[in-house]
Amino acid sequence: MELSEIRKEIDAVDEEMTKLFVRRMACADQVAEAKRGTGKPVLDPGREREILAKVAERVGPALESEGKLLFSTLLSVSRGRQRAQLADDGMFAKTVAEAMSATPAIFPSKANVACPGAEGGYSQQAAVAFVKFPSLFYFRDFESVFTAVEEGMCEYGVLPIENSTAGSVTQVYDLMAKHDFKIAKALKLRIRHVLLAPKGVKLADVKEIASHPQAIAQCAEFLKAHQGVRTVPASNTAAAAAELAKSGRKDAAVIASRECAELYGLDILADDISDTTSNFTRFICISRKTEIYPDANKFSLMMSLSHRPGSLADILIRFGAVGVNLTKLESRPVPGSDFEFRFIFDFEASPHDVRVVKLLSSLASDPEVEHFTFLGAYAER
């Protein structure tokens, strides 16, 4: 057969499959209605095993794997549709609608903002990018920033969560599960690391370099070229610079921002020492209450799923069904559990999209989702 003839045959088969798919989804809707109010779960493992066994028998050994994959996906789509039909979307939809209604059109230009570190740090630079005229409160560690926002000491807090070179700031992700907050804004900040030392110190004199572990990781190639120098982790780049300036040491340096040189009276021994010139850190601005601004174009969620094969695949299929673009999927171990994980999802979508709100409503009430936390709908730039 000619290729054109084969394609005509494929088109005819696809047309029939489309009709059958519509019938299959109509049956899924009927199943959902039949289960409504009965307490019967959407997932029926015995029924699904029976269906897949029949499929394997009918398609034969040559197509067994492909047939099971096709019908496993179809069953997952069917379950997702049933859950969407049965979801009580009133509470979640109400939360989103109320937040959008109560949030002003423009982000505040003045606010108390909690930052990790000290003046001159990258978090401080991000804070000024978020809030034009912030009153900044500095804290030694990330958890104190969460606490300051959670307890109402500051309206907002600024935290780094991901770097284009060194990856996720895992400590912040782990703290997300512990604290009550919402993401109000996010941005990507260009990071330009320099090596700083007290006046008169030369690079050959340096025996120790201190900085935040993320900054150390982002300058691995520079440090590799100076293998005789010891690296020391610090709580923050700017805090390390401030401490060095007061120490009087003549054998130490820090990795920090160029702004720290002038602020703390330090010399720049080496400029732009990051492994790549395209070095960006993603910062989030958190608040105690849910704020959803008109330009919101991104969502973040945290979920723990039932410990069974395919539970994550089912969630991803449901995201795919509404056409959202997942930009991040991060897994973190659940403390005190045996190889169980919590997942953080970032995806691009509008809070005005009814399909997205309905999807999140179904996830929030899904018994297969053991813990569901809405982290925020926000704009990222």
Side-chain angles (χ1 to χ4, degrees):
M1 293 176 67
E2 294 290 332
L3 181 59
S4 59
E5 295 176 346
I6 299 171
R7 285 176 172 168
K8 284 181 181 178
E9 179 68 13
I10 290 174
D11 289 344
V13 172
D14 286 349
E15 185 176 351
E16 290 301 313
M17 289 178 65
T18 301
K19 293 176 182 177
L20 291 172
F21 176 73
V22 172
R23 284 179 58 190
R24 183 69 167 78
M25 291 300 102
C27 289
D29 292 346
Q30 291 172 357
V31 169
E33 286 304 315
K35 289 181 177 179
R36 189 183 297 277
T38 66
K40 290 184 178 180
V42 169
L43 175 63
D44 186 341
R47 166 74 173 157
E48 293 197 0
R49 284 194 299 270
E50 181 184 340
I51 291 172
L52 294 176
K54 287 180 181 177
V55 168
E57 182 181 348
R58 289 166 182 166
V59 301
L63 290 173
E64 179 179 307
S65 296
E66 291 83 354
K68 289 180 73 174
L69 176 61
L70 174 62
F71 275 80
S72 293
T73 303
L74 180 61
L75 290 169
S76 181
V77 171
S78 177
R79 287 196 303 273
R81 186 169 179 84
Q82 289 181 52
R83 289 189 171 113
Q85 294 288 98
L86 296 171
D88 178 11
D89 58 359
M91 183 60 71
F92 186 83
K94 184 179 179 183
T95 298
V96 171
E98 287 180 349
M100 288 193 292
S101 176
T103 304
I106 301 174
F107 201 77
S109 60
K110 296 179 181 180
N112 293 334
V113 181
C115 283
E119 190 75 19
Y122 298 108
S123 293
Q124 176 255 308
Q125 295 175 35
V128 174
F130 284 126
V131 181
K132 290 182 180 179
F133 308 107
S135 296
L136 297 176
F137 294 80
Y138 293 106
F139 296 89
R140 183 168 180 82
D141 54 45
F142 296 144
E143 183 157 24
S144 297
V145 173
F146 277 107
T147 302
V149 173
E150 198 172 43
E151 295 181 353
M153 183 187 304
C154 294
E155 290 97 327
Y156 298 103
V158 173
L159 294 156
I161 58 168
E162 185 179 7
N163 178 262
S164 57
T165 301
S168 297
V169 184
T170 55
Q171 186 185 358
V172 172
Y173 275 108
D174 290 341
L175 288 167
M176 283 181 171
K178 185 178 176 181
H179 293 275
D180 184 18
F181 72 98
K182 292 294 182 287
I183 301 172
K185 288 281 184 181
L187 65 81
K188 295 183 180 74
L189 182 71
R190 176 76 178 272
I191 304 298
R192 292 181 172 88
H193 290 308
V194 298
L195 187 69
L196 303 177
K199 300 288 185 183
V201 175
K202 295 181 173 55
L203 185 55
D205 303 327
V206 175
K207 306 300 180 188
E208 180 181 292
I209 296 175
S211 196
H212 189 274
Q214 278 274 329
I216 291 172
Q218 292 161 28
C219 302
E221 291 300 317
F222 174 83
L223 295 170
K224 187 178 178 181
H226 299 82
Q227 292 186 357
V229 179
R230 185 168 69 99
T231 57
V232 177
S235 61
N236 180 268
T237 56
E243 186 174 334
L244 177 62
K246 293 185 292 185
S247 70
R249 293 184 62 174
K250 298 297 182 182
D251 63 345
V254 295
I255 297 171
S257 69
R258 175 178 286 274
E259 286 79 357
C260 287
E262 185 175 351
L263 277 169
Y264 302 111
L266 301 172
D267 282 345
I268 298 175
L269 300 187
D271 207 350
D272 288 333
I273 62 173
S274 300
D275 290 350
T276 173
T277 55
S278 181
N279 185 16
F280 289 85
T281 292
R282 184 174 172 233
F283 287 87
I284 55 173
C285 178
I286 64 172
S287 66
R288 184 168 58 165
K289 60 183 180 179
T290 304
E291 298 181 4
I292 303 179
Y293 289 87
D295 57 349
N297 58 5
K298 198 164 189 176
F299 282 78
S300 289
L301 310 172
M302 187 184 301
M303 288 188 281
S304 296
L305 309 180
S306 61
H307 200 48
R308 68 166 180 84
S311 60
L312 177 59
D314 283 351
I315 297 294
L316 296 179
I317 287 171
R318 290 162 72 178
F319 274 110
V322 297
V324 301
N325 180 32
L326 278 173
T327 57
K328 187 178 182 67
L329 174 56
E330 181 91 7
S331 65
R332 298 294 304 155
V334 176
S337 68
D338 225 357
F339 296 103
E340 292 187 31
F341 295 87
R342 179 184 296 113
F343 295 94
I344 292 96
F345 295 80
D346 290 347
F347 59 93
E348 296 172 345
S350 168
H352 297 281
D353 191 331
V354 176
R355 298 172 309 154
V356 172
V357 175
K358 194 167 185 64
L359 168 64
L360 300 188
S361 298
S362 69
L363 292 173
S365 60
D366 190 341
E368 291 282 297
V369 178
E370 296 177 352
H371 298 284
F372 175 92
T373 305
F374 171 59
L375 298 178
Y378 55 93
E380 179 168 312
R381 57 184 175 86

